[in-house]
Amino acid sequence: MNRNIKLSENVYYLGVNDRRTSRFENLWPLPQGVSYNAYLINDKKSVLIDTVELSNTDSFISEIKDILQGKKLDYIVVNHAEPDHSGALTSLLKSYPDLCIVGNRNTFKFLDGFYGEWNNKLIIDHGDILETGDRILRFYSTPMVHWPETMMTFDEKDGILFSGDAFGSFKSLDGGIFDDELNIDCYENEMRRYYSNIVGKYGKNVQRAFTVLKDVPIKMLASTHGPVFRKDINWALTRYDKWSREETQPGVVVIYGSMYGHTEEMADYFARKLKEAGVPEVEVYDASETHPSFMLSAVWKYNGVVLASPAYNNALFPSVKQIIDKFLERKMVSRHVAILGTSTWSGGGVKSLNKLVEELDWDQVGSSIEAKYSADKNDYELCDILAKELAEKVLKK
Ligand code: FEO
């Protein structure tokens, strides 16, 4: 079936939606699905840009055949070798045995390792071009956005940047493919969750890619996941720029663990006090009920955090520990942070939080508050003071 979705004359969108996979990379929940985007340029030489994930291979190859109408597929450009984009390669080779695979030296390390050696390959370097007839495709090396081999391909005729994972997003494309066909603001949270969890560790590399691309006259952004931007490319560019610099906005994410509700009570009280002190946005998460990817995405947005934990086996509550590990792995830049918790008979939760916040090198505001079994009048008075102090820091930005 040829859906005939065109980015421009002879440039086709060949993406597929995945609403079945519950976790991307077998890690990150997909409550609203995801799309795997690939593109086909049907010039004198035909060029496929990336493929799709393995389970969608049949419909993908069938659409290529419908568009090419018996003509052979000459090239496949592998901007990114991760199997969500290279999964259809081996099947594609069965349909097009003479197909030439285009990638850089690192690309072939991955492809050879995943799928075996290839006979027909074209190894390109940063800045090289591929002439397809009416078009020139230029390759830009953008390592670690998201893997070491990642590169982008620029169609100089129509100004289309095939950007790989960069500018990508979770959430399927429901009928609309282009930014002007969608309520694009509905993608912001899932785009930030995608960025912070998948690419977020490599912010410096994203910034390097921005430098590499600064003089490239981009008119359209065609990523491997999510909407194609043609009306307002700045919508995506400014967000990726901001997120890769970890530029935050005033607001507080309250993350708590709680077995029987006592720490939760403190966290909720604290959240109320933050609002009373004028913090514009406060989000509260039960760390045991929320997947860390959502909390990480929220913390990526705001400059304030509250961490609250009971003692558990003389240490931190496991679900709270899990999200702090994500902050550490990504070496997230400093946030203003307040610490709360309960100690019961042993203590250990708040002590661990103090240590981890020091390790994160975040700005701990005031002193941590540790109630015994549940917060008493004195503990709540301390919360009043600490919430005001945190609000002041958050609002000063
Ligand atoms: Fe969408 Fe890094 O793969």
Side-chain angles (χ1 to χ4, degrees), residues 24 80 82 84-85 146 165 194 224-225:
F24 187 78
H80 185 17
E82 192 167 0
D84 54 335
H85 309 299
H146 147 233
D165 282 348
Y194 174 84
T224 45
H225 303 286

Side-chain angles (χ1 to χ4, degrees), residues 241-256:
D241 179 39
K242 184 171 84 172
W243 295 334
S244 57
R245 287 184 287 104
E246 275 195 65
E247 185 188 308
T248 53
Q249 64 190 65
V252 177
V253 185
V254 180
I255 296 172
Y256 69 87

Side-chain angles (χ1 to χ4, degrees), residues 43-54:
D43 202 355
K44 287 191 184 77
K45 296 283 183 191
S46 54
V47 184
L48 185 65
I49 311 280
D50 292 310
T51 75
V52 294
E53 194 266 341
L54 182 65

Side-chain angles (χ1 to χ4, degrees), residues 94-365:
K94 284 184 190 134
S95 295
Y96 298 101
D98 297 329
L99 181 61
C100 176
I101 305 178
V102 184
N104 56 53
R105 279 176 210 289
N106 278 329
T107 312
F108 288 103
K109 286 184 194 163
F110 285 98
L111 295 185
D112 294 353
F114 287 146
Y115 308 109
E117 296 272 335
W118 311 92
N119 294 327
N120 195 4
K121 55 188 177 189
L122 174 64
I123 298 176
I124 52 89
D125 277 324
H126 176 78
D128 284 355
I129 59 162
L130 177 67
E131 293 185 59
T132 63
D134 288 343
R135 292 169 190 274
I136 291 174
L137 301 180
R138 190 175 296 276
F139 304 108
Y140 292 94
S141 174
T142 51
M144 300 315 298
V145 186
H146 147 233
W147 278 12
E149 89 300 357
T150 41
M151 60 183 207
M152 299 187 193
T153 300
F154 185 63
D155 168 19
E156 295 192 345
K157 183 166 188 264
D158 288 321
I160 306 169
L161 182 70
F162 300 101
S163 60
D165 282 348
F167 316 113
S169 173
F170 290 139
K171 188 169 161 55
S172 58
L173 295 173
D174 300 341
I177 306 294
F178 300 93
D179 57 341
D180 52 286
E181 298 176 333
L182 297 158
N183 181 347
I184 203 65
D185 292 330
C186 291
Y187 280 82
E188 174 149 7
N189 281 342
E190 281 299 82
M191 193 178 197
R192 193 182 57 253
R193 191 166 68 90
Y194 174 84
Y195 176 81
S196 54
N197 286 278
I198 310 297
V199 192
K201 185 173 178 181
Y202 309 112
K204 284 195 174 75
N205 303 82
V206 176
Q207 281 296 309
R208 231 169 268 142
F210 270 108
T211 307
V212 165
L213 296 168
K214 76 177 180 344
D215 295 321
V216 179
I218 305 167
K219 290 192 186 132
M220 213 181 291
L221 286 174
S223 166
T224 45
H225 303 286
V228 175
F229 290 86
R230 67 181 176 189
K231 181 182 166 221
D232 186 5
I233 63 168
N234 280 330
W235 191 96
L237 290 171
T238 51
R239 278 160 182 78
Y240 259 68
D241 179 39
K242 184 171 84 172
W243 295 334
S244 57
R245 287 184 287 104
E246 275 195 65
E247 185 188 308
T248 53
Q249 64 190 65
V252 177
V253 185
V254 180
I255 296 172
Y256 69 87
S258 190
M259 280 177 281
Y260 298 106
H262 300 115
T263 309
E264 181 182 23
E265 233 169 34
M266 282 177 91
D268 261 330
Y269 181 87
F270 204 94
R272 176 65 200 156
K273 290 295 148 188
L274 289 170
K275 281 309 290 184
E276 285 176 6
V279 175
E281 295 187 57
V282 177
E283 296 183 17
V284 182
Y285 294 96
D286 180 336
S288 300
E289 288 297 320
T290 312
H291 189 275
S293 64
F294 293 92
M295 293 183 277
L296 182 74
S297 177
V299 173
W300 215 274
K301 184 175 180 184
Y302 298 117
N303 61 350
V305 179
V306 174
L307 297 169
S309 173
Y312 194 86
N313 286 339
N314 302 347
L316 193 53
F317 198 58
S319 56
V320 178
K321 173 77 169 59
Q322 197 185 8
I323 180 63
I324 295 174
D325 285 343
K326 298 267 175 285
F327 304 152
L328 285 165
E329 280 162 21
R330 284 161 182 75
K331 298 187 174 65
M332 289 173 70
V333 302
S334 186
R335 304 291 193 277
H336 305 301
V337 57
I339 294 172
L340 316 173
T342 50
S343 64
T344 57
W345 79 88
S346 66
V350 165
K351 191 176 160 195
S352 304
L353 281 176
N354 283 325
K355 218 168 133 210
L356 286 166
V357 164
E358 206 180 306
E359 207 179 313
L360 278 163
D361 202 20
W362 285 7
D363 168 36
Q364 185 179 346
V365 179

